[in-house]
Amino acid sequence: MATAPASSLLDAGTHAARWIAEYRARATSGDVLCAQPDSAWSGMFEELAAIAGDDLGQARDRVQRHAEDIGTGFRIIGESEERPWPLSPVPLLIDHDEWRHIEAGIVQRADLLESITADLYGDASLVTRGLLPAALVGGSPHFLRPMAGLVPPGGHHLHFVAIDLGRGPTGEWRVLADHLRAPAGAGYALENRLAIARTLGGLQARLNVQRHAPFFAAFRDGLAAACRRVEPRIGLLTPGRYSASYAEQAHLARYLGFLLVEGADLAALEDKLYVRTIGGLKRVDALWNRVDPRLLDPLAFDSHSRIGVAGLIDAAAAGNLVIANAPGAGVLESPAFGAFLPRIAARETGRDLILPNIATWWCGQDAARACVTEDFDTMLIGSAFGVAPLGLPDGIARPGSEITGPERAALLADMERRPQDYVGQEIVRLSTMPVVTDSGLAARPFTVRVFAARGGDGGWTVLPGGFARIAEHPDPRASVMGQGTWSADVVVHGGETVPPVSLLQPTDTIHVRRNPGTLPSRVADNFFWLGRYLERGEALLGIIRVMLGNSIDADAGAALGAETVGGLVSLVVNGGGAPQPATLRRADLSAFARTALEDGDWHSVRTINRLARGIGQGSRDRLAADVIRLLDAPFPSRGGMLDRAGSLQRRYAALSGLSAEHMGRTASWRFHDLGRRLERATGMTRAVRAFGLARASGDDLSTLLDLADSQISYRQRYLTGLARVPVVDLVALDPNNPRSLAYQIVRICEHLGQLPVLEDDGMEEPQQAQGTVLQAIITTATAAALDDDILGDVERRLFQLSEAIARRYFLQGAEPLRAAGMVLA
């Protein structure tokens, strides 16, 4: 028997020490690990070794799984599918003393940016005194003239800023870029921290890691303090699920308790902003904006905008709406402003910038343009305003030494024609940090995005850490790093114990509530149609499985009669699932079933799943992670059609179970279940019309029971075989059969009775009255008398009821704003 290796060779400390020693031997002196004492890094790597042993790849896989469980994702512009957020298991460690220097620099810069923004949209004294060229301001596409003279509610233009920092090889920190229009990334920093905390559970106490929650609490308090109402309603305005950072926006909205809203959810009326909800129009006091400010209001800015809200700026001008950040603040994002910020800081504050930015020369000035032309090969050549000039058609800044031949000639020619469109910047070299690769730890350049938010007292709070972006290659030049390949949590650690802080209030100060809050009309619409699509897909799959099991699969028993098969085919064709087959022979039916199952050009199961998935992606802030995972699961591709159909059936059953047992009985659930019930009622009505009328054959009745999933119920109740009247009664009129038409209508009426109404006079609204009529028809019907005319009338009424629900609850356009009874609260 082999002797077990000594425990000292396997413990976490041994692995950590070896990793650090091997890494130091390969890394350069400018690396953060090499430049800092071993103690903090040793503790972090020991935590990694405790969960992964000697396999860093396992640690990488584990933290990635946690990131995916949290729902972290991002989308590349132009792509329809989200990518998983790439998170390194090795966080960037920054000592508290070093962080205090960074924090002071961020606060100083945020204050400076606020004062410059206020001046540019106020009396413009910086321009009149010659500290800023007028062309630099007026020539920027991000300078929004309609905002001139407008003082934002609360008096601040900036509430939330993001700043990209680079650490040089000698340890100095410098500003690479400012983000003021719609700063992204705070949600990723939060999600990185959650994933790392789940992976390295002991790191918090071991290194006294500073927490993120106080920062987000301060930001929430700051927005609320700027509002006029004591208990304001705050929304996070998103461009929608195709936004590159939609997953992050949804996570932030959920974490902060903000409404996640799109432009179509909002309406401006009498200089106030409202969100369309199932209970009418509800007042919105503040928006955390993640939309391009130029698209916010088609009346004030871009008249072609289809995602903005007409009149939104009027509401802000009247002091009734706080927008974070105020539109127009993005003018200072232009790289060209970096050429003037150091001088403005020294003149206006009497101090140099604590965190200097990259040395920048704006070519709109003759002397600066001459410097750029002379030192072209040693500079980074970029756009002055963040948009692509003719000489840089892709808009990406590039080292001058890499621009050669005709491309160089074209750029210099355009720089001569429009010098104001270009800047020259120094080429910054970055520090490196450890990242896990397939071959172990490797040194890679990194940048850090840091965030500052205005708190309830009007001062700035800086998020302790932020997130790091890590390059794929070892080239330390910031200009060639791009957006990075990996992200990493940034851990600020120190010697003092950090008290546990949460956004949750003390339990004895919370006012207990059972109302989950405002439900926007769009969200109700999404849940309604998610229910309909899931039920529609399951019903179509049921038809396909009946065909596969009884008519196509030679080993599954006797085939159905031609008329019954024709009825199944008609149900699919009428629903748009597949084209009419040439014949009812096995080969044609197999092709027909395959089309109905997976052909994306028809309203097949695959297409229905895709539609449901799209709704799920747009409702991430309100759906459980398990539901999102099931909706995002790839379409089955292995096995025969019966195997794939069985796999899909189990997925539908899981989704149905989650909605039945795990969703709170809120208005969201009611709309989801209402959609399911309406779709099932419609499908059951069509099935009875196809297989349950007079002269129905035994195959017809058996098929009807299969489609209603009621074979066992019928056999337990009737021992004498199939008969039309009892079969029709069970699947159409029995209110105790959860698959019957009657059961669906009872549930529909219950939901309509629980949803909010606009009047308190006790009278039924149109959708409720239509539900009552339907219930009366089915309650008074008998199976023997149920015919095509009655069922056709029921089907038409179900369609009308669906339209009435949409008109009442899914408010869109201007019509609801003028309708009587719309609540304004």
Side-chain angles (χ1 to χ4, degrees):
M1 183 174 179
T3 304
S7 60
S8 62
L9 297 177
L10 298 176
D11 64 22
T14 300
H15 294 321
R18 180 172 57 79
W19 289 337
I20 291 175
E22 292 177 352
Y23 181 81
R24 283 181 180 273
R26 296 190 301 268
T28 64
S29 59
D31 186 86
V32 290
L33 190 155
C34 298
Q36 297 175 359
D38 280 352
S39 56
W41 288 98
S42 296
M44 186 274 296
F45 278 116
E46 285 175 13
E47 290 291 327
L48 272 178
I51 65 161
D54 196 26
D55 187 358
L56 282 170
Q58 181 180 343
R60 180 179 59 187
D61 294 341
R62 184 165 179 171
V63 76
Q64 197 62 49
R65 284 197 301 271
H66 283 310
E68 291 174 4
D69 287 343
I70 294 168
T72 313
F74 72 104
R75 178 179 283 106
I76 299 294
I77 295 175
E79 294 183 355
S80 60
E81 299 297 325
E82 280 189 354
R83 299 185 180 188
W85 181 248
L87 175 60
S88 169
V90 180
L92 172 65
L93 305 185
I94 300 179
D95 179 80
H96 180 262
D97 292 334
E98 183 178 10
W99 181 254
R100 281 190 296 182
H101 173 77
I102 295 173
E103 185 177 44
I106 295 296
V107 170
Q108 180 201 37
R109 193 173 187 89
D111 279 334
L112 179 64
L113 294 173
E114 170 68 40
S115 65
I116 295 175
T117 304
D119 178 80
L120 293 182
Y121 289 99
D123 56 16
S125 67
L126 293 173
V127 174
T128 58
R129 288 185 289 147
L131 292 176
L132 278 175
L136 180 63
V137 179
S140 172
H142 305 301
F143 180 72
L144 303 181
R145 296 183 184 278
M147 298 299 296
L150 191 155
V151 178
H156 301 297
H157 291 78
L158 302 179
H159 293 266
F160 194 95
V161 301
I163 297 173
D164 288 341
L165 301 178
R167 183 183 186 273
T170 58
E172 76 283 1
W173 290 91
R174 304 177 71 181
V175 174
L176 303 179
D178 301 303
H179 302 278
L180 309 176
R181 283 180 294 163
Y188 293 129
L190 177 61
E191 292 169 328
N192 283 357
R193 176 58 54 86
L194 291 173
I196 290 295
R198 292 180 184 181
T199 306
L200 308 178
L203 195 64
Q204 175 71 47
R206 188 165 189 162
L207 297 186
N208 296 320
V209 177
Q210 293 193 26
R211 299 176 182 269
H212 286 354
F215 168 82
F216 289 102
F219 172 53
R220 191 172 60 185
D221 293 344
L223 272 185
C227 298
R228 286 184 171 178
R229 296 199 300 175
V230 176
E231 295 186 2
R233 183 176 288 114
I234 302 174
L236 191 158
L237 180 60
T238 172
R241 69 183 182 93
Y242 290 112
S243 168
S245 59
Y246 179 78
E248 179 224 10
Q249 297 162 23
H251 184 72
L252 282 171
R254 184 166 55 243
Y255 181 71
L256 291 166
F258 293 174
L259 277 176
L260 186 66
V261 294
E262 298 178 19
D265 297 329
L266 304 172
L269 185 66
E270 297 177 352
D271 290 342
K272 295 181 179 66
L273 188 69
Y274 297 90
V275 58
R276 297 174 166 97
T277 79
I278 61 171
L281 301 175
K282 303 292 184 181
R283 176 89 173 270
V284 175
D285 302 275
L287 286 177
W288 187 10
N289 177 45
R290 296 295 291 270
V291 173
D292 185 335
R294 292 171 295 184
L295 303 178
L296 273 177
D297 186 341
L299 296 182
F301 307 131
D302 187 344
S303 61
H304 297 94
S305 172
R306 305 185 70 175
I307 63 174
V309 184
L312 182 143
I313 297 302
D314 287 340
N320 297 321
L321 177 67
V322 177
I323 306 175
N325 290 327
V331 64
L332 293 182
E333 286 187 358
S334 300
F337 273 89
F340 303 92
L341 288 181
R343 182 185 176 198
I344 293 175
R347 289 283 298 271
E348 299 300 299
T349 69
R351 296 183 60 193
D352 291 334
L353 291 172
I354 298 173
L355 297 174
N357 45 259
I358 303 174
T360 303
W361 293 263
W362 179 50
C363 295
Q365 294 180 310
D366 293 339
R369 182 170 70 255
C371 288
V372 173
T373 303
E374 182 178 351
D375 298 327
F376 192 88
D377 288 334
T378 64
M379 285 192 182
L380 184 71
I381 310 301
S383 164
F385 300 113
V387 295
L390 289 177
L392 291 170
D394 57 5
I396 299 175
R398 296 172 59 191
S401 60
E402 297 180 3
I403 307 173
T404 59
E407 185 181 20
R408 184 182 185 124
L411 190 151
L412 290 172
D414 192 56
M415 188 182 293
E416 184 68 25
R417 285 191 300 269
R418 291 186 57 85
Q420 69 272 21
D421 290 344
Y422 295 90
V423 293
Q425 295 179 307
E426 65 172 317
I427 297 178
V428 176
R429 302 183 74 84
L430 300 172
S431 291
T432 56
M433 67 172 286
V435 63
V436 177
T437 65
D438 292 338
S439 58
L441 283 179
R444 293 290 183 266
F446 70 92
T447 62
V448 176
R449 180 164 294 187
V450 183
F451 304 91
R454 199 177 293 281
D457 61 356
W460 291 102
T461 299
V462 180
L463 178 71
F467 77 89
R469 293 185 297 184
I470 306 170
E472 179 181 9
H473 45 72
D475 191 328
R477 293 176 298 171
S479 58
V480 299
M481 177 176 164
Q483 295 299 309
T485 299
W486 293 90
S487 75
D489 187 20
V490 179
V491 169
V492 177
H493 62 92
E496 298 182 3
T497 301
V498 178
V501 180
S502 171
L503 283 187
L504 299 177
Q505 301 175 28
T507 54
D508 57 353
T509 67
I510 298 176
H511 175 68
V512 176
R513 60 183 297 176
R514 293 178 179 173
N515 180 354
T518 304
L519 181 65
S521 293
R522 177 184 54 85
V523 177
D525 194 355
N526 283 344
F527 271 84
F528 178 79
W529 277 101
L530 179 61
R532 295 203 71 157
Y533 283 138
L534 292 177
E535 186 63 32
R536 186 176 299 177
E538 187 173 4
L540 177 55
L541 188 63
I543 297 172
I544 294 170
R545 295 185 76 193
V546 170
M547 294 177 62
L548 291 174
N550 292 286
S551 297
I552 301 173
D553 189 343
D555 298 324
L560 294 173
E563 290 188 1
T564 304
V565 174
L568 290 169
V569 167
S570 294
L571 287 179
V572 175
V573 171
N574 292 338
Q580 181 74 35
T583 71
L584 298 183
R585 294 175 180 174
R586 181 175 298 170
D588 289 333
L589 285 177
S590 294
F592 176 78
R594 184 173 290 106
T595 298
L597 182 67
E598 59 190 19
D599 192 323
D601 294 331
W602 292 86
H603 200 61
S604 63
V605 176
R606 181 191 290 271
T607 299
I608 294 169
N609 282 4
R610 185 176 69 245
L611 294 170
R613 181 186 183 190
I615 291 177
Q617 290 176 342
S619 306
R620 303 180 71 120
D621 58 319
R622 295 177 179 266
L623 288 173
D626 287 339
V627 175
I628 296 295
R629 275 192 288 271
L630 285 170
L631 291 173
D632 285 348
F635 198 83
S637 59
R638 295 184 178 180
M641 275 195 289
L642 268 176
D643 293 329
R644 300 200 297 277
S647 175
L648 287 168
Q649 184 63 39
R650 290 187 291 274
R651 191 181 302 176
Y652 280 124
L655 285 165
S656 180
L658 285 170
S659 66
E661 298 297 332
H662 294 272
M663 287 183 71
R665 272 23 183 184
T666 62
S668 298
W669 169 79
R670 291 196 180 280
F671 279 102
H672 177 71
D673 200 58
L674 191 57
R676 278 188 176 274
R677 301 302 173 186
L678 270 167
E679 191 67 34
R680 188 177 296 176
T682 302
M684 197 51 54
T685 302
R686 291 171 179 171
V688 175
R689 294 181 74 182
F691 303 111
L693 299 180
R695 296 187 299 280
S697 67
D699 283 349
D700 288 341
L701 297 177
S702 180
T703 297
L704 181 56
L705 289 173
D706 283 336
L707 296 178
D709 198 18
S710 299
Q711 286 278 12
I712 294 176
S713 297
Y714 184 86
R715 290 172 185 172
Q716 289 177 339
R717 192 174 303 182
Y718 304 103
L719 303 178
T720 57
L722 295 176
R724 189 187 77 85
V725 170
V727 168
V728 170
D729 182 77
L730 178 63
V731 302
L733 304 179
D734 188 344
N736 298 311
N737 178 7
R739 308 295 296 191
S740 74
L741 171 61
Y743 186 91
Q744 314 315 314
I745 292 177
V746 170
R747 299 286 84 78
I748 288 169
C749 291
E750 288 179 356
H751 289 318
L752 294 176
Q754 292 296 319
L755 290 173
V757 294
L758 298 177
E759 303 289 350
D760 59 1
D761 56 11
M763 301 296 291
E764 286 188 328
E765 289 190 342
Q767 71 279 1
Q768 294 172 317
Q770 291 182 34
T772 300
V773 171
L774 264 172
Q775 188 169 6
I777 292 172
I778 294 300
T779 301
T780 57
T782 63
L786 204 60
D787 58 18
D788 192 63
D789 290 339
I790 296 175
L791 291 169
D793 182 52
V794 169
E795 187 173 344
R796 286 189 294 273
R797 289 181 181 276
L798 286 168
F799 176 78
Q800 292 167 359
L801 176 58
S802 178
E803 290 293 302
I805 291 170
R807 283 194 301 273
R808 165 58 186 85
Y809 293 110
F810 309 151
L811 310 179
Q812 297 179 359
E815 182 181 355
L817 302 182
R818 298 189 296 268
M822 284 291 124
V823 180
L824 302 176

